[in-house]
Amino acid sequence: MAARPLPHRPAPPDLLPQLRFLLRWLLLSAVVSGLAGTASAGFLVALDWVTHFRETHLSYWQLLVALPLGGLAVGLLYQYFGQRVVKGNNQLLEEIHHPRDVVPLRMAPLVLLGTLLTHLVGGSAGREGTAVQMGGALADQLSRWRAAPALRWLHLRPHDRRLLLVAGISAGFASVFGTPLAGAVFGLEVLLIGRLRYEALLPSVLAAFGADWVTRAWGVGHTAYAIPVVPALSPTTVGITLGCGVLFGLTARAFVAGTHGLAGWFQRRIAWPPLRPVVGGVALALLALALQASLVPDVARYLGLGVPTIVAAFAAPLPWYSFGLKMFFTSLTLGAGFKGGEVTPLFFVGAALGSALASVLPLPVALLAGMGFVAVFSGAANTPLACTLMGLELFGTAGAAYLALACVVAYLFSGHRGIYGAQVVGTAKHPHLARDEGQPLGSLPR
């Protein structure tokens, strides 16, 4: 009788490559975290200082001079020193999709100085773009130095450069907002609409949590928000949430259209780039003066970041026009060529809109403000997962269902539009938009 063959037993897994990969990215992410977290900490401290200086030293009439002069300074700065980095966040995304050359290190100090100047003179802009650009630019320098003796043993390959850039984006986002989970997923989700880059998951998570820890270790904190009352889900509350999600998505779409439309107008009408923020600064100052003298005596809340107004939106309903004014101020600021991010203004727009809706909808004002806070950003950046996680990290888990529904619906109704023109449509949001797959948002007809 023939002997039965022994059952096949798979060979034990070779854990050495996985262990080597983990150790390499522990070390690389530690470097990225230290650089991005320290840069964000310094940026946040400086941003607080310039904001306080503007609020305590500059009157509205002084802004009439300061805004054009600040715009000229920002324009000249990028005209003579920043031609290679003027695309900002889009340049980082383009380098991930189609690597060409290492991002110049000058991107970090230029965007830092440009953003601080913008906030010093009263421009309405955010901070995410600055932190992401600093994180990405600093992380990409490891690619430049990969042949140095200190890094040669890590055997960095061209593919690793993409992972470094994603890690830098995640680190910058996480450290400036204090949301490491959202930052990690944002770096993966922002590249391709409808898809995630899982090969960058470990670097993103390590860099995001590390950078957040470094920023906090420097003693820099973040704004606290709360949603104290969350009603139980019911058909009525779900229906209201879905309707709000549609409105938040359309608002995100309007913000994108306004910002890109104004940027295109300035480019067509004013040939010399440094003159664009000068004209935009004059328009911003005149608008602020006109509103201050007539309809909106508290117009200062629509300048700069506007964080105190965001906090106020969670406590009581804001006037119905608040979100629209902030949206226009920000679109004009960024469209004219001032520097800064879009995300904090999007938080303002969403929270103000949600807060205003509390006057007519039977949901708590803090819950509606929190839903708008993350959902408008979800629609404008096409990052519903990251925005849902951000809501959980900032507001707690009690309102998870409301936050997730609002983010997903806003993402759906914002269409193939977004604040990042280099973002590529990986999987269409609905079947009739399948023709857009594989195209960057900036190339699609508006």
Side-chain angles (χ1 to χ4, degrees), residues 375-402:
V376 172
F377 174 37
S378 170
N382 296 299
T383 53
L385 298 181
C387 292
T388 300
L389 290 173
M390 171 174 270
L392 301 184
E393 289 181 293
L394 292 177
F395 313 134
T397 59
Y402 292 96

Side-chain angles (χ1 to χ4, degrees), residues 180-193:
L181 276 175
V185 176
F186 178 82
L188 305 173
E189 195 176 18
V190 74
L191 306 176
L192 292 164
I193 293 177

Side-chain angles (χ1 to χ4, degrees), residues 96-350:
I96 295 172
H97 292 307
H98 306 289
R100 297 182 186 88
D101 194 12
V102 176
V103 175
L105 180 59
R106 70 180 63 184
M107 174 182 275
L110 283 175
V111 73
L112 173 63
L113 184 55
T115 303
L116 293 177
L117 280 170
T118 297
H119 284 276
L120 177 64
V121 299
S124 176
R127 50 193 172 176
E128 145 275 340
T130 307
V132 165
Q133 289 175 54
M134 291 194 299
L138 291 169
D140 205 22
Q141 302 314 303
L142 297 177
S143 303
R144 186 190 302 276
W145 302 329
R146 65 178 181 270
L151 295 177
R152 193 178 300 156
W153 64 277
L154 288 171
H155 304 292
L156 286 172
R157 302 160 297 172
H159 174 72
D160 293 325
R161 181 172 174 244
R162 288 189 172 97
L163 304 188
L164 279 170
L165 282 168
V166 173
I169 290 172
S170 295
F173 190 96
S175 56
V176 81
F177 293 124
T179 54
L181 276 175
V185 176
F186 178 82
L188 305 173
E189 195 176 18
V190 74
L191 306 176
L192 292 164
I193 293 177
R195 297 183 187 176
L196 293 178
R197 296 287 293 265
Y198 279 101
E199 71 272 21
L201 182 59
L202 179 66
S204 293
V205 170
L206 292 175
F209 277 89
D212 178 57
W213 182 86
V214 169
T215 301
R216 294 178 189 274
W218 280 109
V220 177
H222 303 279
T223 306
Y225 303 95
I227 300 178
V229 178
V230 178
L233 284 174
S234 69
T236 300
T237 59
V238 169
I240 293 173
T241 302
L242 295 178
C244 289
V246 173
L247 185 58
F248 294 144
L250 296 177
T251 302
R253 190 166 184 158
F255 178 90
V256 172
T259 303
H260 290 171
L262 283 170
W265 186 90
F266 277 102
Q267 290 167 11
R268 291 190 303 271
R269 299 286 181 171
I270 303 175
W272 193 49
L275 188 57
R276 296 167 192 162
V278 176
V279 176
V282 171
L284 279 168
L286 291 175
L287 178 61
L289 282 170
L291 291 173
Q292 175 70 16
S294 56
L295 302 175
V296 187
D298 56 347
V299 71
R301 66 167 58 188
Y302 305 106
L303 302 176
L305 281 176
V307 171
T309 307
I310 299 175
V311 175
F314 284 75
L318 294 184
W320 62 268
Y321 55 79
S322 294
F323 81 97
L325 279 181
K326 183 63 174 179
M327 187 158 59
F328 183 75
F329 269 76
T330 305
S331 294
L332 181 56
T333 299
L334 298 179
F338 285 93
K339 296 302 173 183
E342 300 94 342
V343 174
T344 302
L346 285 167
F347 292 161
F348 185 120
V349 170

